[in-house]
Amino acid sequence: MRQTKYAVFLTEADRARLRTLIGRGEAPARLLTRARILLKTNQGEGGPCWSDDAIAGALEVHPTTVARVRRQFVEQGLDAALDRKRPDRVYARVLDGAAEAHLVALACSTPPTGREQWTLRLLADELVRLEVVDAISYETVRRTLEQTNSNPG
């Protein structure tokens, strides 16, 4: 048995769950790969106890991925090792309902003189000039207009 800081010891119930998950083949590929990693790193009774490099080569993943899955299993349990961690990022919306309405009205209005139509950058600049928002990117303008059902033409 090899010595490692994060040794994986699967119970019979855990092994059965992982084998069933892999056998069905209906789960996302990432989850199936993590299940295979856990089965190969198992140092419990009847476990193959493969090295990280051997698992990485067989499953075509990076050895760091194998180590990360082992660590997650030991520290947080089977479910945490299998499931994808959702990002912690939460962004405040730049445009609220009133600002979105202002943007749509602006996009449907007549473009500035010398222009045939509004561009995303012109709309973003105009929203800042009119002090609807402090700052806004043209990409935010694009995403907002994409979500509306307005038809300027």
Side-chain angles (χ1 to χ4, degrees):
M1 188 178 305
R2 68 189 170 114
Q3 295 294 323
T4 180
K5 182 176 178 182
Y6 299 105
V8 173
F9 294 95
L10 295 172
T11 65
E12 186 58 41
D14 290 342
R15 285 195 303 268
R17 178 180 168 196
L18 293 173
R19 285 189 190 116
T20 303
L21 184 71
I22 292 169
R24 285 189 186 145
E26 296 172 357
R30 183 178 187 276
L31 191 132
L32 294 175
T33 301
R34 288 174 158 253
R36 288 183 178 98
I37 289 171
L38 288 172
L39 285 172
K40 298 294 183 195
T41 60
N42 183 19
Q43 294 183 14
E45 190 172 325
C49 190
W50 285 19
S51 71
D52 288 0
D53 290 331
I55 296 169
L59 299 179
E60 296 181 355
V61 295
H62 198 275
T64 306
T65 302
V66 177
R68 187 180 322 111
V69 171
R70 277 191 300 106
R71 187 186 77 233
Q72 284 179 325
F73 175 79
V74 171
E75 291 178 349
Q76 301 169 6
L78 182 60
D79 290 330
L82 291 176
D83 293 333
R84 178 173 187 249
K85 179 185 174 290
R86 300 286 178 215
D88 297 340
R89 299 182 300 260
V90 177
Y91 298 110
R93 291 181 55 114
V94 176
L95 296 175
D96 59 1
E100 280 186 21
H102 202 96
L103 171 61
V104 171
L106 189 62
C108 293
S109 69
T110 308
T113 54
R115 297 290 186 144
E116 226 176 274
Q117 62 186 13
W118 284 102
T119 65
L120 296 176
R121 285 185 170 85
L122 279 175
L123 288 168
D125 292 342
E126 189 68 11
L127 287 174
V128 173
R129 190 186 69 74
L130 294 173
E131 298 179 359
V132 176
V133 291
D134 293 332
I136 188 169
S137 72
Y138 70 91
E139 181 62 19
T140 303
V141 171
R142 184 193 66 79
R143 276 185 273 136
T144 303
L145 290 175
E146 190 175 71
Q147 293 172 359
T148 63
N149 292 329
S150 64
N151 183 3

